[in-house]
Amino acid sequence: MNIDDLYQAALTAKEKAYAPYSKFKVGAAIIDENGQVHSGCNVENAAYPLGCCAEQSAVSQMIINGGSTIQHILIVGKSGESCPPCGACRQIIFEHGNKNTQVHLESQNGSFDQKNIFDLLPEAFDHLQLDK
Ligand code: THU
């Protein structure tokens, strides 16, 4: 699995997005610790806060398919533009990632920017706080 394949998986998921309210379709694709790919799309609701982001549905797919750790996650929104994960999704990626988890975001020239989740969510709240 390479980044091109991950991109295709995210695009396929994006086409399935249910986004009648925002009209903003998002797809996300994950490679887990076993090299398995899991994807998700945003699923909105007439009760707006109940909508689910693409990253969150991809994580749910990973968990239900037996994966546990995000190695790479690639997110696509509007074609050719970066779709950075929202704050809640950064926390979700952090929870199911590790220190090497890479977030790939489309950039304008058709390539991808790669960022570590620790850089996207510095000083994150994690399970260690609960044990204090
Ligand atoms: N959205 C995502 O799926 N992921 C993000 O990280 C940012 C936003 C979705 C939520 C909503 O369905 C639409 O994009 C517009 O905010």
Side-chain angles (χ1 to χ4, degrees):
M1 172 61 59
N2 58 34
I3 292 302
D4 276 348
D5 294 333
L6 205 59
Y7 181 48
Q8 289 307 318
L11 285 178
T12 299
K14 178 183 150 185
E15 291 312 307
K16 303 258 177 67
Y18 177 74
Y21 306 108
S22 72
K23 317 265 192 255
F24 189 85
K25 292 186 166 195
V26 184
I30 289 170
I31 301 179
D32 71 12
E33 75 280 12
N34 302 312
Q36 297 297 307
V37 174
H38 315 279
S39 60
C41 61
N42 54 332
V43 181
E44 296 183 346
N45 194 287
Y48 291 176
L50 296 182
C52 177
C53 285
E55 298 90 324
Q56 189 175 356
S57 57
V59 168
S60 297
Q61 279 297 113
M62 178 182 79
I63 298 296
I64 204 165
N65 289 324
S68 62
T69 307
I70 303 168
Q71 305 291 341
H72 299 271
I73 180 167
L74 185 148
I75 305 156
V76 290
K78 281 203 174 134
S79 181
E81 290 183 27
S82 176
C83 182
C86 74
C89 286
R90 291 176 196 214
Q91 182 73 28
I92 289 169
I93 295 166
F94 181 86
E95 176 79 21
H96 299 281
N98 63 21
K99 63 180 169 40
N100 296 319
T101 296
Q102 298 297 316
V103 180
H104 301 265
L105 302 174
E106 195 166 358
S107 64
Q108 283 174 340
N109 58 9
S111 61
F112 289 86
D113 291 331
Q114 185 172 330
K115 296 171 195 291
N116 188 282
I117 186 59
F118 280 85
D119 295 326
L120 291 176
L121 191 66
E123 300 182 43
F125 183 88
D126 69 14
H127 66 94
L128 296 174
Q129 316 295 323
L130 300 174
D131 299 335
K132 284 179 182 160

